[in-house]
Amino acid sequence: MTRFDAAEPADRRKLYVDAITAHRERGSGFLTLEADDETAVGRDSEGESAAASAAELGTPWVQFSDGTINLDCTDAELDVLKGVLDEFPAFKIDDLNRPEEAEGVNVRISAKADPNRIAQFVDDVFLEVYDLPPSVRVWAVGI
């Protein structure tokens, strides 16, 4: 891989595909994609900043490993995630974990699909679930 961030929708999806491919070729434990704090400014339906979620759970991120997508979200974001999953019938929630010592919920999703479909889903997570703007920059921070 030669680049590790992208801000345009098509470029982000290409970044995700390239990162998934590099992750698989390297046989690494997992791939981590993270929204850039500088560009992760959106609005939710109540007019609150998407940074409110970041304040609760930290910077929005998505991990991928061996056909599983892992992410943290608030209960409200989980409701949106379930709607996004309706558009991706091959993707299913495998596990919901609500640690007592942490805010939010950790979600594990089986993603038995090709890298392009996974990339579409990941981009929808950043844009719809985390309510980030279409110009959000996402970084491949761990491959």
Side-chain angles (χ1 to χ4, degrees), residues 33-40 59-61 126 132 136-139:
L33 301 161
E34 191 174 280
D36 186 292
D37 288 335
E38 298 288 319
T39 60
T59 301
W61 57 269
F126 281 117
L132 300 176
V136 66
R137 180 172 306 279
V138 175
W139 289 85

Side-chain angles (χ1 to χ4, degrees), residues 15 55 59 85 112 135 143:
L15 172 71
T59 301
L85 284 165
K112 309 297 187 211
S135 61
I143 298 178

Side-chain angles (χ1 to χ4, degrees), residues 47-135:
E48 292 185 21
S49 167
S53 175
E56 288 180 51
L57 302 176
T59 301
W61 57 269
V62 174
Q63 286 184 325
F64 174 79
S65 179
D66 195 30
T68 299
I69 293 172
N70 182 37
L71 59 104
D72 287 342
C73 60
T74 64
D75 287 330
E77 291 167 339
L78 179 59
D79 289 339
V80 176
L81 176 62
K82 290 175 180 177
V84 169
L85 284 165
D86 288 342
E87 300 170 32
F88 295 85
F91 292 55
K92 305 278 186 245
I93 293 177
D94 285 339
D95 187 38
L96 296 174
N97 185 13
R98 298 175 190 272
E100 289 182 28
E101 66 282 351
E103 295 291 325
V105 60
N106 178 262
V107 184
R108 292 189 183 270
I109 300 165
S110 63
K112 309 297 187 211
D114 66 81
N116 287 312
R117 192 69 173 147
I118 295 168
Q120 291 170 351
F121 177 78
V122 168
D123 209 44
D124 283 359
V125 167
F126 281 117
L127 298 179
E128 295 181 37
V129 175
Y130 293 130
D131 197 24
L132 300 176
S135 61

